[in-house]
Amino acid sequence: MQSIGYFQAVEASGAVPLGIAPVAEPALRDLYVLCEALVLPGGMDIAPELYGDERHTTTEIQPELDAMELTLLRWAEEDGKPVLGICRGAQLLNAAKGGALWQDLPTQRGASGHDSDEAGTAFHDIVIAEGSRLRRVTDAGRILVNSRHHQAVSVLGADLRAVAHAPDGVIEAIEAHGPWFALGVQWHPEELPSESPVGGGVFRALTQAASRRTVAY
């Protein structure tokens, strides 16, 4: 079950949340057409076979979830529906576009401080690229985010760009080039205050993108 925080954050942004469980077509398609935008939430790791890598000992996968979300993501890109990927969702967006991941930041990249520990959730700054969609959303060049991940983008997928980095250089956000609103963030905005630009602000940006698309059609 996904955290209720996702549903609360979507509702707080002015949208109506709809949870989609792993179901087969045509039921999946029926649910998809009800949605004006997609949130791909956090969860288990992406199967490394999707990006041509062997499984690391720390990687835990759920192939049926990968398959369902990849299908939803493909449809969303074809239709131009806005997408927000959170943690796992950001990694899925990258893998779907032909990119690759660090399966375990501490052992493969020597990066620490991105995952929670006994003291609780970690926090660190991110630096946001000028001219990016995320920069417009947050109106900040440097801002504090929560951090609860052990994987991250290593090689960018096609038509994606890195738009935020941690101080150690780890990619913290990606977005699609062009008009398609596809944003992936490594932090968990659903756990941050609704007034925070990297919390509720991210969800409001998604809802606004969906509203603009609906008006255009």
Side-chain angles (χ1 to χ4, degrees):
M1 294 293 292
Q2 289 296 341
S3 166
I4 194 171
Y6 291 105
F7 296 90
Q8 292 172 332
V10 168
E11 188 173 21
S13 76
V16 177
L18 171 67
I20 300 179
V23 295
E25 297 184 51
L28 183 63
R29 183 72 188 187
D30 291 340
L31 292 169
Y32 165 80
V33 298
L34 296 175
C35 302
E36 297 297 338
L38 293 180
V39 175
L40 300 176
M44 298 184 74
D45 301 324
I46 307 299
E49 292 80 5
L50 292 175
Y51 49 92
D53 203 359
E54 295 183 1
R55 195 178 309 174
H56 190 273
T57 56
T58 61
T59 299
E60 299 181 8
I61 66 172
Q62 195 171 358
E64 65 275 16
L65 183 59
D66 290 348
M68 181 197 77
E69 291 187 341
L70 283 169
T71 298
L72 292 171
L73 185 56
R74 174 170 53 83
W75 289 340
E77 183 174 12
E78 290 171 352
D79 297 338
K81 287 189 179 183
V83 173
L84 171 62
I86 296 172
C87 199
R88 166 196 158 85
Q91 296 159 11
L92 185 77
L93 172 62
N94 190 63
K97 298 295 288 179
L101 306 175
W102 297 110
Q103 290 189 55
D104 190 61
L105 288 171
T107 59
Q108 293 185 316
R109 196 183 179 279
S112 61
H114 290 269
D115 205 355
S116 56
D117 55 24
E118 293 79 5
T121 298
F123 287 82
H124 60 70
D125 284 340
I126 59 169
V127 176
I128 303 173
E130 292 187 13
S132 64
R133 180 177 283 115
L134 181 62
R135 182 70 170 258
R136 294 194 296 273
V137 169
T138 61
D139 194 28
R142 191 179 187 99
I143 196 166
L144 189 70
V145 298
N146 55 357
S147 189
R148 188 154 47 80
H149 62 100
H150 78 110
Q151 297 194 338
V153 171
S154 61
V155 179
L156 278 168
D159 300 320
L160 298 175
R161 62 172 179 157
V163 294
H165 293 80
D168 60 8
V170 169
I171 295 174
E172 289 286 333
I174 58 176
E175 62 185 45
H177 287 286
W180 182 36
F181 184 105
L183 173 65
V185 301
Q186 278 294 163
W187 63 91
H188 283 266
E190 80 283 0
E191 297 178 359
L192 297 175
S194 61
E195 63 272 15
S196 167
V198 287
V202 174
F203 285 95
R204 286 190 293 276
L206 179 73
T207 297
Q208 290 163 6
S211 296
R212 289 192 297 270
R213 180 179 175 276
T214 301
V215 170
Y217 281 85

mmCIF file of all heavy atoms in Angstrom, residues 3 17-18 23 48 53 82 92 94-95 107 116 129 146 153 155 160 168-169 180 185-186 196 200 205 210 212:
data_model
loop_
_atom_site.group_PDB
_atom_site.id
_atom_site.type_symbol
_atom_site.label_atom_id
_atom_site.label_comp_id
_atom_site.label_asym_id
_atom_site.label_seq_id
_atom_site.Cartn_x
_atom_site.Cartn_y
_atom_site.Cartn_z
ATOM 1 N N SER A 3 1.766 5.198 0.797
ATOM 2 C CA SER A 3 1.507 6.121 1.884
ATOM 3 C C SER A 3 0.336 7.025 1.544
ATOM 4 O O SER A 3 0.206 7.505 0.406
ATOM 5 C CB SER A 3 2.756 6.943 2.164
ATOM 6 O OG SER A 3 2.442 8.057 2.974
ATOM 7 N N PRO A 17 -7.318 12.460 -6.214
ATOM 8 C CA PRO A 17 -6.407 11.315 -6.362
ATOM 9 C C PRO A 17 -7.152 10.029 -6.698
ATOM 10 O O PRO A 17 -8.268 9.794 -6.238
ATOM 11 C CB PRO A 17 -5.748 11.216 -4.985
ATOM 12 C CG PRO A 17 -6.762 11.781 -4.034
ATOM 13 C CD PRO A 17 -7.493 12.847 -4.804
ATOM 14 N N LEU A 18 -6.502 9.209 -7.522
ATOM 15 C CA LEU A 18 -7.025 7.888 -7.870
ATOM 16 C C LEU A 18 -5.869 6.903 -7.816
ATOM 17 O O LEU A 18 -4.906 7.034 -8.572
ATOM 18 C CB LEU A 18 -7.646 7.897 -9.274
ATOM 19 C CG LEU A 18 -8.043 6.534 -9.864
ATOM 20 C CD1 LEU A 18 -9.191 5.928 -9.066
ATOM 21 C CD2 LEU A 18 -8.420 6.665 -11.330
ATOM 22 N N VAL A 23 -2.969 -4.055 -12.338
ATOM 23 C CA VAL A 23 -4.020 -4.838 -12.978
ATOM 24 C C VAL A 23 -3.683 -4.982 -14.452
ATOM 25 O O VAL A 23 -2.897 -4.215 -15.011
ATOM 26 C CB VAL A 23 -5.404 -4.184 -12.817
ATOM 27 C CG1 VAL A 23 -5.825 -4.149 -11.351
ATOM 28 C CG2 VAL A 23 -5.407 -2.763 -13.395
ATOM 29 N N PRO A 48 17.057 -4.086 -12.553
ATOM 30 C CA PRO A 48 18.203 -3.621 -13.345
ATOM 31 C C PRO A 48 18.258 -4.212 -14.750
ATOM 32 O O PRO A 48 18.940 -3.677 -15.622
ATOM 33 C CB PRO A 48 19.410 -4.051 -12.507
ATOM 34 C CG PRO A 48 18.906 -5.139 -11.621
ATOM 35 C CD PRO A 48 17.472 -4.808 -11.348
ATOM 36 N N ASP A 53 21.726 -4.106 -16.635
ATOM 37 C CA ASP A 53 22.703 -4.291 -15.563
ATOM 38 C C ASP A 53 22.385 -5.565 -14.788
ATOM 39 O O ASP A 53 21.250 -6.063 -14.804
ATOM 40 C CB ASP A 53 22.663 -3.086 -14.624
ATOM 41 C CG ASP A 53 23.954 -2.913 -13.835
ATOM 42 O OD1 ASP A 53 24.865 -3.747 -14.000
ATOM 43 O OD2 ASP A 53 24.044 -1.945 -13.057
ATOM 44 N N PRO A 82 0.845 15.002 -18.167
ATOM 45 C CA PRO A 82 1.907 15.336 -17.222
ATOM 46 C C PRO A 82 2.222 14.169 -16.280
ATOM 47 O O PRO A 82 1.329 13.404 -15.886
ATOM 48 C CB PRO A 82 1.334 16.523 -16.442
ATOM 49 C CG PRO A 82 0.275 17.092 -17.328
ATOM 50 C CD PRO A 82 -0.300 15.920 -18.062
ATOM 51 N N LEU A 92 12.351 5.233 -12.564
ATOM 52 C CA LEU A 92 11.619 4.539 -13.623
ATOM 53 C C LEU A 92 11.553 5.390 -14.881
ATOM 54 O O LEU A 92 11.736 4.882 -15.993
ATOM 55 C CB LEU A 92 10.212 4.181 -13.154
ATOM 56 C CG LEU A 92 9.407 3.349 -14.145
ATOM 57 C CD1 LEU A 92 9.856 1.897 -14.105
ATOM 58 C CD2 LEU A 92 7.918 3.432 -13.867
ATOM 59 N N ASN A 94 13.693 7.571 -15.874
ATOM 60 C CA ASN A 94 15.008 7.536 -16.499
ATOM 61 C C ASN A 94 15.258 6.209 -17.214
ATOM 62 O O ASN A 94 15.741 6.184 -18.353
ATOM 63 C CB ASN A 94 16.096 7.785 -15.459
ATOM 64 C CG ASN A 94 17.448 8.006 -16.086
ATOM 65 O OD1 ASN A 94 17.660 8.958 -16.818
ATOM 66 N ND2 ASN A 94 18.385 7.106 -15.806
ATOM 67 N N ALA A 95 14.923 5.101 -16.554
ATOM 68 C CA ALA A 95 15.136 3.789 -17.167
ATOM 69 C C ALA A 95 14.259 3.612 -18.407
ATOM 70 O O ALA A 95 14.688 3.026 -19.409
ATOM 71 C CB ALA A 95 14.854 2.687 -16.155
ATOM 72 N N THR A 107 28.008 1.921 -2.011
ATOM 73 C CA THR A 107 29.029 0.960 -2.440
ATOM 74 C C THR A 107 29.510 1.196 -3.865
ATOM 75 O O THR A 107 30.665 0.914 -4.180
ATOM 76 C CB THR A 107 28.496 -0.477 -2.330
ATOM 77 O OG1 THR A 107 27.325 -0.616 -3.159
ATOM 78 C CG2 THR A 107 28.145 -0.816 -0.894
ATOM 79 N N SER A 116 17.866 7.273 4.927
ATOM 80 C CA SER A 116 17.578 7.446 6.340
ATOM 81 C C SER A 116 18.388 6.458 7.168
ATOM 82 O O SER A 116 18.882 5.449 6.671
ATOM 83 C CB SER A 116 16.081 7.253 6.596
ATOM 84 O OG SER A 116 15.669 5.979 6.128
ATOM 85 N N ALA A 129 19.106 23.864 -11.445
ATOM 86 C CA ALA A 129 19.624 24.499 -12.655
ATOM 87 C C ALA A 129 18.765 25.683 -13.091
ATOM 88 O O ALA A 129 17.532 25.605 -13.077
ATOM 89 C CB ALA A 129 19.702 23.484 -13.791
ATOM 90 N N ASN A 146 14.254 16.518 1.812
ATOM 91 C CA ASN A 146 14.438 15.273 2.539
ATOM 92 C C ASN A 146 15.043 14.237 1.595
ATOM 93 O O ASN A 146 15.019 14.395 0.375
ATOM 94 C CB ASN A 146 13.119 14.779 3.144
ATOM 95 C CG ASN A 146 12.003 14.638 2.116
ATOM 96 O OD1 ASN A 146 12.170 14.947 0.945
ATOM 97 N ND2 ASN A 146 10.845 14.167 2.551
ATOM 98 N N VAL A 153 20.091 8.237 -10.569
ATOM 99 C CA VAL A 153 20.441 8.233 -11.989
ATOM 100 C C VAL A 153 21.958 8.243 -12.149
ATOM 101 O O VAL A 153 22.657 9.070 -11.559
ATOM 102 C CB VAL A 153 19.828 9.455 -12.686
ATOM 103 C CG1 VAL A 153 20.364 9.587 -14.117
ATOM 104 C CG2 VAL A 153 18.307 9.369 -12.683
ATOM 105 N N VAL A 155 23.248 7.344 -15.663
ATOM 106 C CA VAL A 155 23.301 7.755 -17.069
ATOM 107 C C VAL A 155 21.914 8.264 -17.449
ATOM 108 O O VAL A 155 20.918 7.559 -17.273
ATOM 109 C CB VAL A 155 23.700 6.585 -17.992
ATOM 110 C CG1 VAL A 155 23.714 7.045 -19.442
ATOM 111 C CG2 VAL A 155 25.048 6.015 -17.589
ATOM 112 N N LEU A 160 16.109 13.621 -21.699
ATOM 113 C CA LEU A 160 16.021 14.046 -20.310
ATOM 114 C C LEU A 160 17.241 14.874 -19.958
ATOM 115 O O LEU A 160 18.311 14.715 -20.550
ATOM 116 C CB LEU A 160 15.957 12.836 -19.362
ATOM 117 C CG LEU A 160 14.763 11.900 -19.502
ATOM 118 C CD1 LEU A 160 14.927 10.707 -18.574
ATOM 119 C CD2 LEU A 160 13.449 12.626 -19.210
ATOM 120 N N ASP A 168 27.230 16.472 -3.340
ATOM 121 C CA ASP A 168 28.212 15.470 -3.754
ATOM 122 C C ASP A 168 28.101 15.112 -5.234
ATOM 123 O O ASP A 168 28.787 14.217 -5.725
ATOM 124 C CB ASP A 168 28.086 14.207 -2.903
ATOM 125 C CG ASP A 168 26.706 13.552 -2.994
ATOM 126 O OD1 ASP A 168 25.887 13.992 -3.827
ATOM 127 O OD2 ASP A 168 26.449 12.609 -2.220
ATOM 128 N N GLY A 169 27.234 15.794 -5.967
ATOM 129 C CA GLY A 169 27.094 15.574 -7.397
ATOM 130 C C GLY A 169 26.030 14.591 -7.809
ATOM 131 O O GLY A 169 25.750 14.445 -9.004
ATOM 132 N N TRP A 180 6.438 18.399 -23.001
ATOM 133 C CA TRP A 180 5.885 17.377 -22.090
ATOM 134 C C TRP A 180 6.332 17.645 -20.669
ATOM 135 O O TRP A 180 7.526 17.715 -20.384
ATOM 136 C CB TRP A 180 6.332 15.986 -22.540
ATOM 137 C CG TRP A 180 5.778 14.854 -21.717
ATOM 138 C CD1 TRP A 180 4.551 14.762 -21.154
ATOM 139 C CD2 TRP A 180 6.445 13.631 -21.389
ATOM 140 N NE1 TRP A 180 4.393 13.571 -20.494
ATOM 141 C CE2 TRP A 180 5.544 12.859 -20.621
ATOM 142 C CE3 TRP A 180 7.723 13.122 -21.679
ATOM 143 C CZ2 TRP A 180 5.883 11.597 -20.129
ATOM 144 C CZ3 TRP A 180 8.048 11.863 -21.189
ATOM 145 C CH2 TRP A 180 7.135 11.101 -20.426
ATOM 146 N N VAL A 185 11.835 13.565 -9.244
ATOM 147 C CA VAL A 185 12.587 14.080 -8.094
ATOM 148 C C VAL A 185 12.964 12.924 -7.174
ATOM 149 O O VAL A 185 12.180 11.991 -6.984
ATOM 150 C CB VAL A 185 11.789 15.146 -7.321
ATOM 151 C CG1 VAL A 185 11.438 16.311 -8.236
ATOM 152 C CG2 VAL A 185 10.518 14.577 -6.705
ATOM 153 N N GLN A 186 14.162 12.988 -6.605
ATOM 154 C CA GLN A 186 14.633 11.918 -5.729
ATOM 155 C C GLN A 186 14.106 12.045 -4.301
ATOM 156 O O GLN A 186 14.093 11.077 -3.553
ATOM 157 C CB GLN A 186 16.166 11.871 -5.709
ATOM 158 C CG GLN A 186 16.772 11.138 -6.866
ATOM 159 C CD GLN A 186 16.464 9.649 -6.864
ATOM 160 O OE1 GLN A 186 16.615 9.000 -7.870
ATOM 161 N NE2 GLN A 186 16.022 9.076 -5.757
ATOM 162 N N SER A 196 5.669 24.280 1.108
ATOM 163 C CA SER A 196 7.052 24.207 0.643
ATOM 164 C C SER A 196 7.098 24.113 -0.883
ATOM 165 O O SER A 196 6.356 23.326 -1.480
ATOM 166 C CB SER A 196 7.753 22.985 1.249
ATOM 167 O OG SER A 196 8.982 22.743 0.592
ATOM 168 N N GLY A 200 4.520 20.690 -1.434
ATOM 169 C CA GLY A 200 3.265 20.912 -2.134
ATOM 170 C C GLY A 200 3.420 21.639 -3.446
ATOM 171 O O GLY A 200 2.605 21.451 -4.368
ATOM 172 N N ALA A 205 2.389 22.187 -9.285
ATOM 173 C CA ALA A 205 2.888 22.336 -10.655
ATOM 174 C C ALA A 205 2.322 21.252 -11.560
ATOM 175 O O ALA A 205 1.972 21.514 -12.720
ATOM 176 C CB ALA A 205 4.407 22.302 -10.657
ATOM 177 N N ALA A 210 -1.646 19.768 -15.768
ATOM 178 C CA ALA A 210 -2.804 18.995 -16.227
ATOM 179 C C ALA A 210 -3.958 19.912 -16.602
ATOM 180 O O ALA A 210 -4.655 19.676 -17.596
ATOM 181 C CB ALA A 210 -3.231 18.015 -15.138
ATOM 182 N N ARG A 212 -3.751 23.069 -17.672
ATOM 183 C CA ARG A 212 -3.438 23.744 -18.937
ATOM 184 C C ARG A 212 -3.663 22.818 -20.118
ATOM 185 O O ARG A 212 -4.177 23.234 -21.168
ATOM 186 C CB ARG A 212 -1.990 24.235 -18.919
ATOM 187 C CG ARG A 212 -1.744 25.415 -17.986
ATOM 188 C CD ARG A 212 -0.395 26.026 -18.246
ATOM 189 N NE ARG A 212 0.701 25.126 -17.983
ATOM 190 C CZ ARG A 212 1.310 25.010 -16.802
ATOM 191 N NH1 ARG A 212 0.909 25.744 -15.769
ATOM 192 N NH2 ARG A 212 2.305 24.162 -16.627
#
